[in-house]
Amino acid sequence: MTSPLLSPGPSLGELDERAREIFRRVVEGYLETGEPVGSRTLSKGGVHLSPASIRNTMQDLTQLGLLGAPHVSAGRVPTHAGLRLFVDGLLEVGDVAEEDRRNIEARLSAKGHNFEEALNEASAILSGLAGGAGIVVTPVRDAGVKHVEFVALSADQALAVMVFEDGVVENRLMRLAAGVTPSSLQEASNFMNARLRGRTLGEAGLEIRSELEAARRQLNETAARLVEDGMAAWGGGDGAARALIVRGRANLLADRETLDDLERVRMLFDDLEQKEQLIGLLDDVRDAQGVRIYIGAETRLFSLSGSAVIAAPYMTGRQKVLGAIGVIGPARLNYARVIPLVDYTARVLSQVTNA
């Protein structure tokens, strides 16, 4: 379980036993209820100190930057720095429940024959089990292309099929403009095959787009549009090199604390629209062993909304990282439950897609 590098803050070694216990109980209470935790709550909950002594310790923790007071005399909540210290030093991570294990294995195994469906299912699984939005970054295809074909399914829909030299087959549904004929589909297929065969998408993508203007003299307009749409279908659209799958955004509205602040909800959704930054953040997972955690202000992307991301890499059978899978939600995610869920789902996804 790793985290980004932060400016040095207080360590657990700087807290005496009393401060550590009160800090732990404040964070656990906040993660459970989403509400500020007061001295009387702690006194009644088993801390054998007077409310005044507890308040003094909470004040010390506030001065250290580990706790904050959202309202005057309304108790304390952990800051992002406090959550980081808790997650790294005090959190007791649970194991994945047997029922959840069976659910994850069954659902991913059922989709394992289709890589794209498996990624979508993994995102949906994490959304449902972890209570946040499930996110998956698809891998960069670094194998050469063997064959491309556009197959008409109906008057307004086609299937784009790409076969790679490593044996992987990827399919994408595409909308067809009015007037597209079978000959247009064949022209587009021939054009793509002539330029992609034996090359990676990254190697061929820019060249194909730069050739399109000149190629319009050889292709009719609908075939040229098919080529553009075909490249966008594999590249994630808008020139992006990666695709980002997000499932369960509605879960982000279920958090009571988030509902109390609609502006934070808006900012959280804005975060999810910043695909390029989020993909870049999840690509950092490639450098980590196991689960990686980002909390609020630790990343510029989530500094305003105070969101948290828990992510883990999924790999090939030879332990080559393909992409990342994770959960995004409010900073008060149930870390003890979500961390092992993300880790286990990533490992099962690696297994079924390499079977």
Side-chain angles (χ1 to χ4, degrees):
M1 194 165 50
T2 59
S3 62
L5 291 176
L6 299 174
S7 56
S11 66
L12 286 176
E14 297 175 49
L15 306 182
D16 60 26
E17 186 175 347
R18 172 191 294 187
R20 189 179 303 192
E21 177 65 10
I22 289 175
F23 172 67
R24 181 182 65 80
R25 286 178 179 263
V26 169
V27 177
E28 288 177 346
Y30 170 74
L31 292 178
E32 181 179 352
T33 68
E35 301 289 342
V37 179
S39 56
R40 291 193 178 277
T41 299
L42 295 181
S43 181
K44 294 177 180 179
V47 177
H48 302 301
L49 295 169
S50 68
S53 296
I54 295 174
R55 280 195 298 272
N56 289 336
T57 301
M58 292 171 73
Q59 182 61 34
D60 293 340
L61 292 167
T62 301
Q63 291 176 350
L64 287 172
L66 298 177
L67 300 182
H71 308 290
V72 178
S73 69
R76 295 290 190 272
V77 299
T79 62
H80 292 161
L83 283 173
R84 166 58 60 194
L85 183 63
F86 175 81
V87 168
D88 287 347
L90 294 175
L91 179 67
E92 295 182 6
V93 177
D95 198 5
V96 180
E98 186 60 35
E99 181 180 354
D100 289 337
R101 287 175 181 265
R102 289 196 298 268
N103 185 13
I104 292 168
E105 291 167 4
R107 290 174 61 178
L108 287 181
S109 294
K111 304 290 185 180
H113 63 283
N114 185 303
F115 186 70
E116 183 181 2
E117 288 184 7
L119 293 182
N120 276 280
E121 190 68 12
S123 182
I125 286 170
L126 286 179
S127 169
L129 293 179
I135 49 177
V136 175
V137 172
T138 61
V140 173
R141 296 297 316 162
D142 57 4
V145 176
K146 186 175 182 180
H147 181 71
V148 178
E149 188 168 357
F150 298 102
V151 181
L153 300 179
S154 64
D156 63 350
Q157 196 173 60
L159 184 67
V161 183
M162 187 170 285
V163 182
F164 293 88
E165 291 178 335
D166 60 2
V168 172
V169 179
E170 292 193 10
N171 303 315
R172 298 287 191 277
L173 286 175
M174 296 172 53
R175 304 293 297 181
L176 293 180
V180 174
T181 64
S183 62
S184 297
L185 290 172
Q186 188 60 53
E187 270 192 276
S189 298
N190 293 341
F191 179 88
M192 297 273 285
N193 279 312
R195 286 153 181 80
L196 279 177
R197 188 176 290 120
R199 306 170 69 189
T200 68
L201 289 175
E203 291 170 340
L206 288 177
E207 184 177 334
I208 284 181
R209 289 187 176 94
S210 66
E211 283 186 19
L212 276 174
E213 230 13 80
R216 289 182 192 279
R217 301 188 186 97
Q218 304 169 34
L219 292 168
N220 64 39
E221 184 69 22
T222 54
R225 181 62 189 169
L226 275 170
V227 172
E228 291 177 343
D229 289 347
M231 291 304 297
W234 277 294
D238 299 325
R242 311 291 296 282
L244 178 70
I245 302 168
V246 181
R247 296 289 181 271
R249 294 189 186 191
N251 286 339
L252 301 177
L253 296 173
D255 181 68
R256 179 172 56 186
E257 180 191 11
T258 307
L259 279 175
D260 289 340
D261 189 345
L262 294 180
E263 181 62 14
R264 277 188 61 204
V265 173
R266 184 192 65 76
M267 289 188 293
L268 182 53
F269 285 140
D270 285 347
D271 290 342
L272 288 177
E273 294 305 320
Q274 301 299 317
K275 287 176 58 176
E276 184 176 344
Q277 291 185 60
L278 186 53
I279 288 173
L281 182 150
L282 290 179
D283 275 345
D284 288 345
V285 174
R286 290 171 171 266
D287 301 324
Q289 296 295 320
V291 179
R292 188 154 186 168
I293 302 165
Y294 303 85
I295 302 174
E298 292 177 352
T299 65
R300 197 175 103 186
L301 180 60
F302 298 116
S303 60
L304 292 179
S305 67
S307 310
V309 175
I310 300 174
Y314 60 92
M315 308 180 183
T316 68
R318 297 180 179 178
Q319 297 301 296
K320 176 186 176 183
V321 174
L322 290 175
I325 180 171
V327 170
I328 179 174
R332 57 169 294 261
L333 277 170
N334 185 341
Y335 295 94
R337 171 171 166 77
V338 176
I339 289 170
L341 278 175
V342 169
D343 181 52
Y344 191 72
T345 303
R347 286 190 280 121
V348 175
L349 179 63
S350 299
Q351 292 169 5
V352 300
T353 55
N354 286 287

